[in-house]
Amino acid sequence: MSVSAIVVMIIGMVLLWGGLAASIFHAVKSSKANKAEDLG
Amino acid sequence: MERSTWGTRAGFIMAAVGSAVGLGNIWRFPYVAYENGGGAFFIPYLFALLTAGIPILILEFTIGHRYRGSAPLSFFRMSGKKAEWLGWWAMFVSFVISVYYAVIIAWAMRYTLFSFNQAWGEDTEGFLFSDFLQLTVSPGETGGIVWGIFIPLVIVWVITLGILLAGVKKGIELANRIFIPTLVLIFIVIVIRAVTLDGAAMGLEAFFKPNFNAIMDPTVWVAAYGHIFFSLSVAFAIMITYSSYLPKKSDITNNAFITGFANSSFELLAGIGVFAVLGFMAAQSGVEVADVASAGVGLAFVVFPAIINEFPGFNGLFGFLFFLSLTLAGLTSLMSITETYVAGFTEKFGISRRKAVAIGGGLAALISILFATQGGLFFLDIADYYINQFGVAAVGLVEVVMVVWILRKAGALQDHANEISDIRLGGWWKFSLGVITPIVLGYMMFGLLRLNIFQQFETDTGNYEGYSNMFTLFGGVAVAAGALIFGILFSLGKWHKNYRYYDEHSEHPAKEKE
């Protein structure tokens, strides 16, 4: 594979899979915070 | 009557992702990307995701959550009769899609079994069209029923309607919580095997190698927006219906981001898997990847079986996993499409869910037999083209223009989403919906209208796929127009008394008006 194809593949993975991971992480974090708020 | 709700947030997200992830993610996206600049396609694709896909998802999630009804009921509660027809139009578009989509799942189900002994033989194209589909008639003729399709079709409908009968939480949510992780797991196994094949690097090179000149071409941008639009199950009435089952306290905006990114993440995974095996096929045949690259039915049911024949080992297992993944991706989408009219009929006529499933689902199942005949592929092909281009895309265009510019509800919906979501919507959301999406969809629609009205396809008749004027009119145009006409007709009737009035400040508005 050429360097340009490898770079695009890695960027695509980082942006899309990273975007998914970041939004799930945000959801988990805010749900924990909400639970703590409800209890507190 | 208390409204059904999802058991958990994860359950809702799984269902929304299950709806978005369908056959198109596997057999459409890789080829669209490859044809439109390869790796460079990710630039317009990401723009389209962030300026059209996710904003429309947020819009539909917000409409469903705020007005707490199926698409027709939500639009009725938003602005009365002048908006209700739009919900019915979207719902009837879904109805049409469900009747032929079920047949494709039936094909995939049958091919799952064929995989064990590669029953398709060496001539995979001949097997598909002559032996399996028994396509011996001309477009417009039905011929006899093909029992090899009819039987799995019955199974597809029994599974789908059975899940819907079980309800939102115990049916749709539970099924998606099982099907979606299974689908992802299967696809990861497929991708791992695919990238370790000889020639896989050649396929991945073809898929990812960027042609940056392509992004200067406006048609590439239209292809990116068009793909994102069709891929996310927006303008189908699905996301409005699904979000109407969310509890009052729900983070709408982040749910839309998760759904959008999950759908794109799966597409990327599918692209890697598909092009790795296409590279393997090209290497085996001593040809270029361009010679084996294809999309749609041809890719799944002709090229993939040929690739499975060439596999160095475990051919049956790989085929089984691939067609099982198509079946699962299809089933999760079909249940969401069918749920739109089950919910719509339940609310409009005040009938039980059981009756709505039996009437709506039963009618769809009955009509779908047309596509299980010898001429079924032609009916499927033309209905699919017209309902997607002049159903889904047209509903999407009208939806954003109506909500933002005519009904002027974008502000109120933005306030509602911001009130309950962590990520606050700013000006980009309204700009995306009010300016970018209408311009791109409008441009796309203008091109499509010109192509069809002036018969500018490069075929003998000038029509799509060279079909005759009569078949195009009755098999395609009438089907797409029918969805709109039925939509308008259904909006003329009154709502059942339980749903006629709405107090948006109440948790259970319908119950309190009984």
Side-chain angles (χ1 to χ4, degrees):
Chain A
M1 274 175 85
S2 62
V3 176
S4 59
I6 292 171
V7 169
V8 168
M9 185 171 79
I10 292 169
I11 292 174
M13 285 172 175
V14 168
L15 289 177
L16 295 178
W17 296 347
L20 175 64
S23 37
I24 292 174
F25 178 73
H26 182 82
V28 173
K29 209 175 84 177
S30 67
S31 103
K32 273 185 187 165
N34 286 343
K35 258 185 201 163
E37 224 172 74
D38 290 346
L39 291 172
Chain B
M1 204 188 306
E2 207 159 296
R3 188 163 192 78
S4 308
T5 51
W6 302 104
T8 59
R9 179 179 183 180
F12 163 72
I13 291 170
M14 291 272 190
V17 171
S19 174
V21 170
L23 302 174
N25 296 63
I26 300 168
W27 76 24
R28 190 172 186 273
F29 169 75
Y31 191 71
V32 171
Y34 167 73
E35 278 281 278
N36 290 281
F41 181 74
F42 283 100
I43 295 171
Y45 176 86
L46 268 172
F47 263 94
L49 177 67
L50 295 173
T51 60
I54 290 174
I56 300 176
L57 261 183
I58 294 171
L59 172 76
E60 296 202 342
F61 281 174
T62 312
I63 291 173
H65 185 263
R66 174 166 174 155
Y67 299 104
R68 317 198 66 70
S70 59
L73 183 61
S74 289
F75 278 109
F76 173 71
R77 285 173 170 173
M78 183 195 285
S79 293
K81 289 281 176 197
K82 66 182 172 197
E84 184 189 336
W85 64 275
L86 179 58
W88 287 110
W89 183 18
M91 204 207 76
F92 278 107
V93 165
S94 283
F95 181 86
V96 171
I97 291 172
S98 71
V99 298
Y100 68 77
Y101 201 78
V103 181
I104 305 174
I105 304 169
W107 299 351
M109 199 177 258
R110 196 77 206 284
Y111 265 67
T112 309
L113 296 180
F114 288 157
S115 298
F116 287 113
N117 59 348
Q118 293 93 60
W120 45 69
E122 288 303 310
D123 178 14
T124 54
E125 189 171 354
F127 177 83
L128 173 69
F129 295 112
S130 304
D131 301 339
F132 181 58
L133 299 176
Q134 297 174 25
L135 196 65
T136 51
V137 295
S138 305
E141 293 172 7
T142 56
I145 287 179
V146 180
W147 297 103
I149 301 173
F150 178 83
I151 294 165
L153 177 64
V154 171
I155 298 172
V156 166
W157 279 116
V158 167
I159 295 171
T160 306
L161 301 184
I163 289 168
L164 294 187
L165 271 178
V168 174
K169 195 169 152 185
K170 289 184 180 159
I172 302 171
E173 181 171 344
L174 184 64
N176 277 287
R177 288 180 80 109
I178 298 167
F179 288 0
I180 291 300
T182 310
L183 172 65
V184 173
L185 213 67
I186 289 174
F187 230 87
I188 289 172
V189 172
I190 289 175
V191 169
I192 290 172
R193 182 67 193 102
V195 296
T196 52
L197 287 165
D198 287 339
M202 195 163 91
L204 294 177
E205 169 78 14
F207 182 54
F208 284 111
K209 190 171 184 188
N211 169 16
F212 289 109
N213 291 333
I215 57 173
M216 304 307 284
D217 180 356
T219 59
V220 169
W221 287 80
V222 172
Y225 274 87
H227 178 76
I228 280 290
F229 189 79
F230 291 123
S231 175
L232 277 173
S233 289
V234 289
F236 271 73
I238 297 170
M239 295 308 183
I240 294 177
T241 309
Y242 269 13
S243 62
S244 74
Y245 302 133
L246 278 169
K248 213 165 185 185
K249 207 175 164 188
S250 300
D251 187 341
I252 287 177
T253 312
N254 199 28
N255 284 348
F257 272 96
I258 295 175
T259 307
F261 275 114
N263 179 62
S264 295
S265 297
F266 187 83
E267 284 190 329
L268 180 62
L269 193 68
I272 294 171
V274 166
F275 268 85
V277 290
L278 287 176
F280 163 73
M281 178 70 173
Q284 292 294 306
S285 320
V287 296
E288 294 293 314
V289 175
D291 298 323
V292 289
S294 61
V297 171
L299 173 74
F301 298 102
V302 177
V303 177
F304 256 85
I307 292 169
I308 291 160
N309 285 344
E310 298 296 320
F311 249 59
F314 299 108
N315 313 44
L317 179 66
F318 187 86
F320 170 78
L321 291 177
F322 175 73
F323 287 108
L324 181 63
S325 71
L326 281 186
T327 307
L328 292 177
L331 280 173
T332 51
S333 297
L334 181 64
M335 68 179 85
S336 70
I337 298 169
T338 311
E339 174 63 16
T340 62
Y341 47 88
V342 166
F345 292 156
T346 305
E347 291 162 356
K348 183 78 175 182
F349 305 110
I351 55 176
S352 66
R353 182 175 187 83
R354 187 178 287 266
K355 264 189 194 163
V357 170
I359 296 169
L363 190 64
L366 211 61
I367 297 171
S368 70
I369 297 172
L370 171 71
F371 303 98
T373 59
Q374 287 174 287
L377 181 65
F378 295 124
F379 286 104
L380 189 156
D381 185 36
I382 200 158
D384 179 55
Y385 174 79
Y386 278 92
I387 204 69
N388 271 300
Q389 310 301 340
F390 298 103
V392 180
V395 167
L397 177 61
V398 174
E399 182 180 274
V400 288
V401 170
M402 264 189 76
V403 172
V404 179
W405 294 109
I406 299 172
L407 305 173
R408 301 236 167 226
K409 293 286 180 184
L413 292 170
Q414 183 178 352
D415 291 344
H416 180 79
N418 283 343
E419 210 174 292
I420 51 173
S421 303
D422 278 341
I423 304 169
R424 291 184 66 81
L425 297 175
W428 72 272
W429 184 69
K430 274 201 217 167
F431 184 75
S432 296
L433 285 181
V435 180
I436 298 176
T437 307
I439 288 175
V440 180
L441 283 181
Y443 177 78
M444 207 171 103
M445 197 53 64
F446 175 74
L448 283 168
L449 281 170
R450 201 180 52 186
L451 194 65
N452 282 276
I453 292 171
F454 298 111
Q455 298 180 299
Q456 291 175 338
F457 285 96
E458 287 173 5
T459 58
D460 292 344
T461 59
N463 295 327
Y464 169 72
E465 288 293 322
Y467 292 130
S468 69
N469 288 345
M470 201 58 98
F471 186 55
T472 303
L473 185 66
F474 289 103
V477 178
V479 170
L484 173 61
I485 293 166
F486 270 97
I488 294 170
L489 289 176
F490 265 68
S491 71
L492 300 176
K494 274 187 178 176
W495 285 92
H496 186 266
K497 63 180 168 59
N498 287 357
Y499 299 94
R500 209 171 297 161
Y501 305 100
Y502 174 65
D503 174 4
E504 65 184 81
H505 302 293
S506 157
E507 183 74 32
H508 304 295
K511 187 182 180 185
E512 290 171 17
K513 294 294 174 189
E514 269 182 286

